[in-house]
Amino acid sequence: MNKENLKAVSVLFTIILLTPLITSLLDVNFYLTQLTMSIYYAIVSIGLCMLMGYAGQISMGQAAFFSIGGYTTAVLTTINLIEYKGSFLINLLMKLRVLVLDKNVYDNDVLFFSPWVTFFFAIVFALIISFVIGIPVLKLKGHYLAMATMGFGIIIYKIVKGTKILGQADGISAVPLFKILPFLSIDGDISNRIENFYFAGFILLLGLIILINLINSRVGRALRSLHGSEEASNSMGINTSKYKLYVFMLGAVFASIGGFFLTHYNGGIGPSEAGVMKSVRYVAIVAVGGMANIWGTLIFGILLNFLSLRGVFGSLDDAVFGAILILVMIFAPDGLIKKRFLDALIVKCKIIIKKIQLKLNKEGN
Amino acid sequence: MPLIEVKNLSRYFGGLHAVDNVSFNVEKGIIKAIIGPNGAGKTTLFNLISGTINVTSGKVFYKDHIITGLKPYQIAKKGIVRTFQNLKLNQHMSVLENVMIGRHIRSKAGFISGMLNLPNTWNEEKKIREYSMKMLDVVSMADKKDITVANLPFGQQRAVELARALACEPEVLLLDEPASGLNIYETKELSELIKKLKTWGLTILIVEHDMSLVMDISDDVVVLNYGEKIAEGQPDKIQKNKKVIKIYLGDDDA
């Protein structure tokens, strides 16, 4: 990691560290809940940013992978295998801690998959599905790729909405908490708010560092080259179809992880998470952030999701994100955060400060 | 044994015979030029050899192995690397980064080691950087390594593309009109550079319009017209070839 990125990561680390302090000073501690959720959504976006911004491939099916992660854990942790208790296989799985025994709100025994195991499943399912979908779909380019991934997103949405075990239109609720450490469990309980915020921040930093490393590695160079010209990259010995597939799978895993944690945090998941408008939202965030700009994606991913979750956009939520996407494409195809723009801003600030200094000096004289 | 053997290669675009039954050999260590008027099928021939487009019929052998039907990246891995007539660099990356892409096939850090920035990749990255700088030095662009490619004039972008191809450590270099868009001084430098590359033992196949450059550097010339090979031989003989003079200058009695 180079110096610039190291600095940025440490700034982000400090911000995450200080946020609970700031919210408690401002007496808006309830913001932390939405911030935690925004961070999980931002993880989905930075995965997509890798695919869109760096490898130059579009995916309008990112929400599908989010819901794959979320629904995988939701189904497996709400399933009750208590009636099979006593059979050899179940006993073995219990001994291996794959299954856990607990009591539900009615004080009945429930036997379900441990979230540790479902976390693993969420990643594996995302990998398998993105692999199977990616091979045919990534042969397409531009609009056709967008259409095909969107079609995939719609199919997943319809499956989620129509399958009984997935809760149909109601989704799945009463997803148990995910106890990671004795003092840390992923759930929406108010008493765990700060711990959960820190944990989300930790996951975000981890994902971010991994992606920054990747961008600056040999593979990252190959991906950026692929964005520039697929033909030239191919002629330089880069197996472009392989790299496109891998980065598509990487994005899917990020989405799945985001979906997994958010489902445990919210204690449930609904079919709207798989909707096409959610995918549009992720694409809009990457576009506003400046496509090949993981920091821009991160900032807008947290900001826009936070505003949306706070209900600032009201019932026009989806319309706002659609409008953002259209406006960015027309007026700022390179995104809102540009280094050039920031540099100019810094220079301007410096000039203003100098002017003020001069004025003060004059007055002093 | 010739290094590259092109045998009865054809490519039709519908009714257009872009390359029609062309055969020739390229011996190791020589500079071979492919010339011909506009639309003669030179670039198509290049695309066929480098695997960018599929052949209609015919075969290309490299070191006695068939390479037709292989993907471009597989052909590049075998040691045949090309440049493009209308430069294909990543405009948003720096000069050095572009050249470093050329080291891709000579290094092997994968997704996982890249994501985790494992220590074993550090040494590899350092070597990639060093070799790329060496290649930039060869094309005298080392001092511009941090400039974004989009900000360079055309001639220097050409040099970067050449450095990128050299970074692949190719055995055969396919240069597609390397002098187009260059002024006479730059063309002169280019011809010196190509001669220098020949002394490295590189085999060079070059498509070019600039006759002075072709006659200056090449050991052997293939002339194409309407997709067909009409002459092949040493430059001085090609210059006297009636058929070649006819396609370039027209009939005497016209």
Side-chain angles (χ1 to χ4, degrees), chain A residues 213-257:
Chain A
N213 279 339
L214 186 64
I215 291 164
N216 293 306
S217 74
R218 165 178 177 265
V219 174
R221 261 197 314 274
L223 290 175
R224 281 180 289 159
S225 152
L226 161 67
H227 191 183
S229 162
E230 214 173 313
E231 195 187 353
S233 313
N234 229 323
S235 302
M236 288 295 117
I238 296 166
N239 186 347
T240 48
S241 26
K242 187 178 96 179
Y243 278 126
K244 278 198 284 190
L245 181 63
Y246 282 5
V247 76
F248 185 66
M249 288 164 74
L250 181 71
V253 168
F254 267 68
S256 183
I257 289 174

Side-chain angles (χ1 to χ4, degrees), chain A residues 276-282 284-285 288 304 308 312-328:
Chain A
V276 175
M277 275 320 289
K278 283 277 175 171
S279 292
V280 170
R281 181 179 290 213
Y282 298 128
I285 286 168
V288 181
L304 290 177
S308 156
V312 173
F313 306 138
S315 50
L316 295 174
D317 220 18
D318 286 343
V320 167
F321 278 94
I324 288 174
L325 187 58
I326 294 170
L327 291 174
V328 165

